[in-house]
């Protein structure tokens, strides 16, 4: 069993971006600038946004963190997004999800200009991605591709089973893995909450992407020997032994499943850091596009 180590790969991506950003500065070019919007005080969202801002500093990007109270109106949020859209210095805009219930996620996503949509959630970005046109790929699936490529995982002709069909992970990674280029050319099966015989389908998989959000769902008897497993799940589970009071669990029962795998991502330290590295890549590209 080999680890697909998100810490190592994300560091390699960030080192490259740092060198490229320094080169831009030396050439008198614009430095990438990410604007992040955080609403309320959700612990997990706070952690994610803090990591994104920290990563910007690590690679030499500018970042602006804009905070709103939980009761911010949709109108005020849209107004701020419109301002950021028009601000030349801002290259990428991200709004940390989930949003409070009174704000329409779709409306927020569609307000961000596609050229600043570094999370890759805008329908135009998704449409371009589906058609194989240059686009900002959603950060988590893009991070998964970067990781597979780093470890030179063979994907051509492989049967990839994706568990989950959300707009941010399952659906886009299933499309990306079926693309006619590396890492892709897989035969993809998308499974979801209405799938029958999930175990039988998983047993046929050469590659499994688990993105359903149920801790330790995938067990050893559901996978074949030599499978490559990408565990996207991040669930906080109460854990009295931890200072924080919780531990992070993936969707795969790592202890049971790992011995059967050729490659597997750990949780934490797998897909999570890759998501941030991919976001940095998108922000860099958004800045470069203005040259
Ligand atoms: P979601 O709740 O939007 O979607 C879950 C999907 O799983 C749904 O499509 C549903 O049909 C499917 N599903 C639910 N129960 C199932 C079952 N028993 N069998 C088969 N399919 C089932 O979740 P999401 O936003 O895609 O996130 C999934 C997980 O990935 C969560 O734990 C989330 O925290 C994590 N996540 C991690 C990162 C990262 O950077 N590592 C990024 C995004 C999401």
């Amino acid at each position: 069993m080999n680890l697909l180590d998100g810490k190592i790969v994300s560091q390699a991506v960030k080192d490259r971006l740092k060198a490229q950003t320094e080169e831009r500065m030396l050439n008198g070019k614009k430095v990438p600038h990410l604007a992040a919007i955080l609403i309320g005080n959700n612990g997990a969202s706070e952690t994610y946004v803090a990591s994104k801002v920290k990563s910007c500093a690590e690679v030499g990007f500018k970042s602006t963190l804009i905070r709103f109270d939980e009761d911010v109106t949709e109108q005020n949020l849209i107004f701020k997004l419109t301002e950021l859209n028009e601000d030349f210095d801002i290259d990428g805009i991200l709004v940390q999800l989930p949003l409070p219930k009174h704000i329409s996620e779709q409306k927020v996503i569609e307000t961000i200009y596609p050229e600043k949509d570094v999370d890759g959630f805008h329908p135009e970005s998704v449409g371009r991605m589906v058609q194989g046109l240059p686009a900002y790929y959603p950060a988590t699936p893009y991070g998964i591709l970067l990781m597979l490529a780093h470890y030179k995982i063979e994907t051509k002709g492989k049967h990839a089973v994706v568990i989950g069909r959300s707009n941010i992970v399952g659906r886009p990674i299933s499309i990306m893995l079926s693309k006619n280029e590396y890492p892709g050319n897989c035969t993809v099966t998308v499974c979801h909450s209405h799938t029958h015989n999930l175990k039988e389908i998983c047993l046929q998989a050469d590659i499994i992407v688990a993105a359903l959000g149920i801790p330790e769902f995938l067990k050893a008897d559901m996978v074949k020997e030599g499978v490559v497993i990408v565990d996207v799940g991040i669930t906080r589970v109460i854990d009295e032994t931890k200072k924080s009071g919780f531990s992070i669990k993936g969707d795969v029962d790592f202890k049971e499943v790992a011995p059967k795998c050729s490659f597997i991502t750990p949780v934490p330290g797998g897909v999570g850091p890759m998501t941030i590295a991919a976001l940095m890549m998108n922000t860099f590209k958004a800045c470069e596009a203005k040259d």
Side-chain angles (χ1 to χ4, degrees):
M1 183 275 291
N2 299 288
L3 272 191
L4 296 168
D5 192 324
K7 284 189 192 156
I8 291 176
V9 186
S10 66
Q11 195 55 54
V13 171
K14 288 195 279 188
D15 288 347
R16 260 197 324 269
L17 284 174
K18 186 167 187 250
Q20 287 173 302
T21 304
E22 277 165 6
E23 200 182 318
R24 287 184 66 82
M25 281 172 79
L26 285 173
N27 293 327
K29 290 184 176 167
K30 186 182 179 316
V31 167
H33 187 172
L34 177 71
I37 296 187
L38 175 60
I39 300 165
N41 303 302
N42 176 291
S45 294
E46 294 258 5
T47 310
Y48 297 145
V49 170
S51 307
K52 290 167 187 178
V53 167
K54 186 167 156 250
S55 291
C56 281
E58 277 170 29
V59 297
F61 293 1
K62 287 205 272 181
S63 67
T64 299
L65 172 60
I66 300 148
R67 301 193 68 130
F68 286 107
D69 290 335
E70 187 81 18
D71 60 359
V72 62
T73 63
E74 186 178 276
Q75 197 185 13
N76 279 352
L77 178 59
I78 300 281
F79 183 76
K80 176 47 86 180
L81 288 171
T82 310
E83 254 180 32
L84 295 170
N85 275 339
E86 297 302 332
D87 183 342
F88 179 80
D89 199 56
I90 301 291
D91 301 300
I93 303 170
L94 82 85
V95 180
Q96 187 64 43
L97 303 177
L99 298 176
K101 289 205 166 50
H102 64 280
I103 298 177
S104 156
E105 197 173 290
Q106 196 58 26
K107 201 163 168 186
V108 165
I109 287 170
E110 290 186 24
T111 300
I112 298 170
Y113 281 169
E115 57 268 33
K116 299 196 177 192
D117 173 38
V118 288
D119 255 339
F121 296 158
H122 193 286
E124 187 173 319
S125 308
V126 178
R128 293 181 66 85
M129 183 264 291
V130 170
Q131 293 195 348
L133 299 168
Y136 298 117
Y137 289 173
T140 300
Y142 184 23
I144 294 172
L145 295 192
L146 292 172
M147 173 124 78
L148 295 176
H150 179 94
Y151 284 96
K152 301 185 170 59
I153 303 292
E154 180 60 88
T155 55
K156 190 164 63 177
K158 302 292 178 189
H159 182 197
V161 170
V162 176
I163 314 175
R165 58 176 166 188
S166 73
N167 285 340
I168 63 168
V169 191
R171 178 91 61 209
I173 192 66
S174 67
I175 293 163
M176 291 172 179
L177 286 174
S178 71
K179 280 191 313 154
N180 186 10
E181 65 183 37
Y182 182 77
N185 281 309
C186 291
T187 303
V188 180
T189 303
V190 184
C191 299
H192 47 75
S193 48
H194 295 276
T195 297
H196 296 298
N197 308 324
L198 184 76
K199 181 176 168 183
E200 285 68 26
I201 296 168
C202 287
L203 279 166
Q204 294 167 25
D206 303 306
I207 299 170
I208 297 178
V209 179
L212 66 160
I214 301 180
E216 301 186 330
F217 174 88
L218 198 73
K219 302 289 184 191
D221 66 350
M222 297 169 77
V223 307
K224 70 177 181 188
E225 287 288 339
V227 65
V228 174
I229 294 191
V230 177
D231 186 354
V232 184
I234 300 180
T235 307
R236 286 183 173 200
V237 179
I238 293 169
D239 185 344
E240 307 287 352
T241 67
K242 293 273 154 73
K243 216 170 107 194
S244 59
F246 64 85
S247 55
I248 303 286
K249 293 269 180 235
D251 288 345
V252 180
D253 189 332
F254 186 91
K255 232 160 89 187
E256 247 193 34
V257 174
K260 290 184 89 173
C261 299
S262 55
F263 289 89
I264 182 167
T265 58
V267 176
V271 175
M274 291 311 301
T275 296
I276 297 180
L279 174 72
M280 298 296 119
M281 291 274 288
N282 279 345
T283 306
F284 187 86
K285 284 187 201 165
C287 178
E288 249 186 343
K290 288 178 176 164
D291 286 353

